[in-house]
Amino acid sequence: MADQSAALGEVLVSAEAIARRVAELGREISADYRGGTPHLIGVLKGAWIFMADLIRHFEIDVTVDFLSIASYGDETESTGEVKITKDLDVGIEGRDVLIVEDILDTGRTFQYLSNVLLAHQPRSLKLAALLDKRSRRIIPVQADYVGFEIPDAFVVGYGLDYAQKYRELPEVRVLRSP
Ligand code: IMP
């Protein structure tokens, strides 16, 4: 294993805290969609671990799909340019769609995705984000479900990367030096 200690800073959200909060969110989302079958769209690659854990706490039926987007590249600043690199496999017309994101930062990605998805006429469209850097928002959007609000720091782990690294960490940590 490579030495990660120089690049990684403090643990912002522990694996235990994530597990507790994701279980709560799974139950809350299930209660809100009771009687229906929400269609979860995970935004790759950052959200796959969160989504995999989240749906295992669902108490209702759920279907899933994934979108892949290119946003940050190897940088830590948003360019505002988002490109879909893997499209949806199934249509969403008339479905109760829940986008699952790793982190809501400037809000640009969510704004772009919601415009694209609303054009396909889902019955409803909501957002679940594991992390929310509210102080960084440029576009005034809000997630319907948030795991943790975090300060303005670049974070990695539990699916989130820097230059494709650190997704495997079980907790969310601050990236000290790239
Ligand atoms: P937004 O478009 O600025 O809201 O950024 C959303 C996307 O930027 C997320 O889905 C992440 O892929 C990426 N991102 C934003 N902040 C971080 C971070 O602290 N660590 C890793 N990725 C981040």
Side-chain angles (χ1 to χ4, degrees):
M1 192 205 226
D3 181 16
Q4 302 173 327
S5 53
L8 296 175
E10 65 177 297
V11 174
L12 215 50
V13 193
S14 69
E16 295 73 24
I18 294 172
R20 270 196 306 274
R21 184 71 187 122
V22 170
E24 266 173 26
L25 281 176
R27 287 192 294 268
E28 189 186 332
I29 294 169
S30 299
D32 290 354
Y33 287 94
R34 184 94 47 215
T37 303
H39 187 58
L40 268 57
I41 297 181
V43 184
L44 295 173
K45 305 179 185 117
W48 63 284
I49 293 180
F50 172 41
M51 184 152 134
D53 284 347
L54 184 68
I55 64 166
R56 281 179 282 179
H57 294 283
F58 271 35
E59 295 155 354
I60 54 171
D61 289 342
V62 56
T63 56
V64 303
D65 203 349
F66 293 94
L67 264 179
S68 190
I69 56 170
S71 52
Y72 272 68
D74 287 353
E75 304 301 323
T76 55
E77 284 298 317
S78 175
T79 59
E81 278 177 42
V82 180
K83 196 174 95 192
I84 292 182
T85 54
K86 182 226 165 281
D87 211 337
L88 297 176
D89 289 338
V90 293
I92 58 167
E93 192 180 334
R95 298 296 310 271
D96 290 309
V97 171
L98 179 63
I99 301 177
V100 181
E101 271 263 36
D102 52 356
I103 186 165
L104 193 52
D105 186 20
T106 63
R108 287 182 175 125
T109 306
F110 177 60
Q111 188 194 39
Y112 173 83
L113 286 180
S114 58
N115 286 339
V116 168
L117 296 181
L118 283 171
H120 294 281
Q121 299 182 309
R123 194 162 79 122
S124 64
L125 184 68
K126 287 189 181 185
L127 171 68
L130 176 72
L131 305 172
D132 187 357
K133 278 196 237 175
R134 214 161 287 177
S135 63
R136 293 250 313 160
R137 205 75 92 249
I138 290 171
I139 313 281
V141 291
Q142 268 191 326
D144 300 277
Y145 305 98
V146 172
F148 302 90
E149 190 176 338
I150 62 165
D152 178 9
F154 196 84
V155 295
V156 294
Y158 196 69
L160 288 95
D161 76 307
Y162 171 73
Q164 301 304 323
K165 290 195 295 188
Y166 311 122
R167 294 192 199 275
E168 73 282 8
L169 299 175
E171 68 278 331
V172 172
R173 301 179 74 132
V174 173
L175 184 74
R176 193 161 39 201
S177 58

